Amino acid sequence: ARGAGALRLGIGDDCAILSPPRGHEIVVTTDMSLEGRHFRRDWHPARSVGHRALARGLSDLAAMGARPLAAFLSLAIPRAIAAEATWVEGFLDGLLAVAAATKTPLAGGDTAEAACNDITIDVVLLGATPTGRALRRAGAQPGDRIFVSGSLGGSAAELTAL
């Protein structure tokens, strides 16, 4: 149930077409990243902002036991940032590196000129989980194991250092 096989039609038409694997349900998550709230251009390299923008939603899918089918990116960029293109290219490098590593196709999205000087990023992810087998918070029981990836507290430590 990997994304590449589920995507029948991606970027280039009015809508994407997905065909979920037989015996699976679709799960959907969305995460918005706002400049000044979730990242700062003067602190965070564009590539890491792109990485994080997709990784957040992939984490939500994994938490429910789902495999990614497709990602959709909407990006509102101030005119000055769009004109120089360097930030956008770095952002896309980071996002697409995570997409490639997790076999998550970028199936569409939208771009717009931001009405302010801040960048707004919204990523929607669709995933598939076997029918009736999604891991839900309500199903947690005392004694269940909790798994994490990476190091805990890194974000707080980095923010303190900055």
Side-chain angles (χ1 to χ4, degrees), residues 72-144:
F72 299 86
L73 168 67
S74 293
L75 191 58
I77 313 163
R79 182 177 297 207
I81 303 287
E84 73 179 42
T86 306
W87 192 92
V88 175
E89 288 172 4
F91 170 83
L92 287 173
D93 285 347
L95 186 135
L96 293 174
V98 174
T102 59
K103 296 184 173 88
T104 305
L106 181 59
D110 196 14
T111 57
E113 181 179 330
C116 61
N117 289 323
D118 294 334
I119 297 168
T120 300
I121 304 160
D122 186 44
V123 174
V124 176
L125 276 156
L126 279 71
T129 185
T131 301
R133 305 264 325 261
L135 303 175
R136 298 183 53 211
R137 291 179 185 178
Q141 300 291 321
D144 282 353

Side-chain angles (χ1 to χ4, degrees), residues 31 33 48-57 73 91 95 121 123:
D31 282 298
S33 296
S48 70
V49 174
H51 176 105
R52 183 177 182 271
L54 185 57
R56 291 175 65 191
L73 168 67
F91 170 83
L95 186 135
I121 304 160
V123 174

Side-chain angles (χ1 to χ4, degrees), residues 7-114:
L7 183 64
R8 299 290 178 234
L9 180 65
I11 294 173
D13 215 312
D14 292 323
C15 296
I17 300 174
L18 299 174
S19 180
R22 179 174 296 174
H24 284 70
E25 296 176 307
I26 302 296
V27 295
V28 181
T29 186
T30 182
D31 282 298
M32 190 173 291
S33 296
L34 306 173
E35 183 176 359
R37 167 84 49 191
H38 300 105
F39 70 94
R40 288 182 45 174
R41 270 183 277 152
D42 58 339
W43 288 2
H44 303 98
R47 185 176 175 89
S48 70
V49 174
H51 176 105
R52 183 177 182 271
L54 185 57
R56 291 175 65 191
L58 288 170
S59 176
D60 290 346
L61 292 181
M64 293 197 75
R67 295 194 180 271
L69 295 177
F72 299 86
L73 168 67
S74 293
L75 191 58
I77 313 163
R79 182 177 297 207
I81 303 287
E84 73 179 42
T86 306
W87 192 92
V88 175
E89 288 172 4
F91 170 83
L92 287 173
D93 285 347
L95 186 135
L96 293 174
V98 174
T102 59
K103 296 184 173 88
T104 305
L106 181 59
D110 196 14
T111 57
E113 181 179 330

